[in-house]
Amino acid sequence: MTNVRFVKFLLFTNALVPLVMLLWDVYREHVGPNPPEFMTRTTGMLTLVFLMITLAVSPARKITGWNGLIKYRRMLGLFAFFYGFLHLMTYVGFDRYFNFRSIPGDVLSRPFIAFGMTAFLLMTPLALTSTDKMVKRLGGKRWRRLHALVYAAGVAGALHFWLFVKSDTRLPLTFAFILLLLLAHRVFVRLYPPGRSDEVSTSAR
């Protein structure tokens, strides 16, 4: 238990480092000629990074056999939501100037905004139901079914990033490729679960 708490403390601390560095760069005015765009792009990137790490926990656990990894997935997912919320706030503040009435029209007129908003809306119920009490209230099966939406959020987030950049699409395509691998692993495990291969090899004998 002590080791888990210590690792969670390290994870929590390190997950905040990018935010501290961003604020430090803003304070020192090392954010380029367009600070709002720099902050928006950085928080969006951090959202996708933590989202991909969260999705990678289950495959890493199954491949390495280290079941303890699952204990840190919730915190990683919450940090993905946290940075997604900051990313949304940069849009609301710097792009819409807190004019909330203009947001629906902007969502309908700009596809990349629509995909970004979709990703955040999909992540919101996942963050709200991340507690142990909500797992018990929903039941394990319904909870897992709901949290499968994280893959849809990842797809929407990758599309949002791809449509946002105007020329260099290497980073969005990299995120899309990583997401494709994670989805492929999920489908493979569902079609060929580890126990099933053991049963086939046993029956063959």
Side-chain angles (χ1 to χ4, degrees):
M1 182 64 70
T2 303
N3 289 336
V4 172
R5 288 181 178 177
F6 179 68
V7 173
K8 284 186 176 181
F9 171 76
L10 289 180
L11 180 61
F12 182 87
T13 305
N14 282 278
L16 288 175
V17 168
L19 177 60
V20 174
M21 293 178 65
L22 174 60
L23 294 175
W24 180 246
D25 285 339
V26 171
Y27 174 75
R28 297 181 64 194
E29 299 183 353
H30 289 174
V31 288
N34 192 342
E37 182 180 346
F38 182 87
M39 295 177 67
T40 301
R41 187 182 290 263
T42 301
T43 52
M45 185 83 68
L46 288 169
T47 304
L48 281 173
V49 167
F50 276 97
L51 193 57
M52 295 301 134
I53 295 175
T54 303
L55 289 172
V57 169
S58 290
R61 178 176 67 90
K62 291 174 182 176
I63 293 171
T64 64
W66 186 21
N67 294 324
L69 284 174
I70 205 69
K71 297 176 182 178
Y72 313 110
R73 184 174 62 181
R74 178 187 303 175
M75 183 178 290
L76 289 166
L78 287 174
F79 267 108
F81 178 77
F82 170 69
Y83 281 112
F85 177 77
L86 293 181
H87 182 60
L88 175 64
M89 287 300 100
T90 60
Y91 162 73
V92 172
F94 298 135
D95 195 293
R96 297 291 95 192
Y97 301 103
F98 296 101
N99 182 4
F100 294 99
R101 291 183 179 180
S102 67
I103 293 177
D106 195 41
V107 170
L108 294 174
S109 62
R110 295 199 285 178
F112 85 93
I113 296 293
F115 279 114
M117 199 67 70
T118 299
F120 182 77
L121 291 176
L122 288 171
M123 292 172 64
T124 300
L126 308 187
L128 294 176
T129 58
S130 63
T131 62
D132 292 334
K133 288 184 178 180
M134 288 304 299
V135 176
K136 292 178 181 178
R137 181 176 297 181
L138 292 173
K141 190 173 182 179
R142 290 174 60 191
W143 186 88
R144 284 191 296 270
R145 190 176 300 166
L146 173 65
H147 279 249
L149 289 175
V150 68
Y151 289 94
V155 171
L159 286 170
H160 167 69
F161 191 20
W162 181 65
L163 291 172
F164 173 75
V165 297
K166 296 179 176 62
S167 55
D168 191 352
T169 59
R170 286 177 296 178
L171 271 177
L173 289 176
T174 299
F175 279 114
F177 179 71
I178 294 171
L179 182 60
L180 181 63
L181 288 178
L182 294 170
L183 282 168
H185 179 271
R186 180 179 176 85
V187 172
F188 181 82
V189 170
R190 176 163 293 188
L191 293 176
Y192 305 100
R196 183 178 175 183
S197 61
D198 294 339
E199 291 175 5
V200 171
S201 61
T202 303
S203 62
R205 294 174 186 174

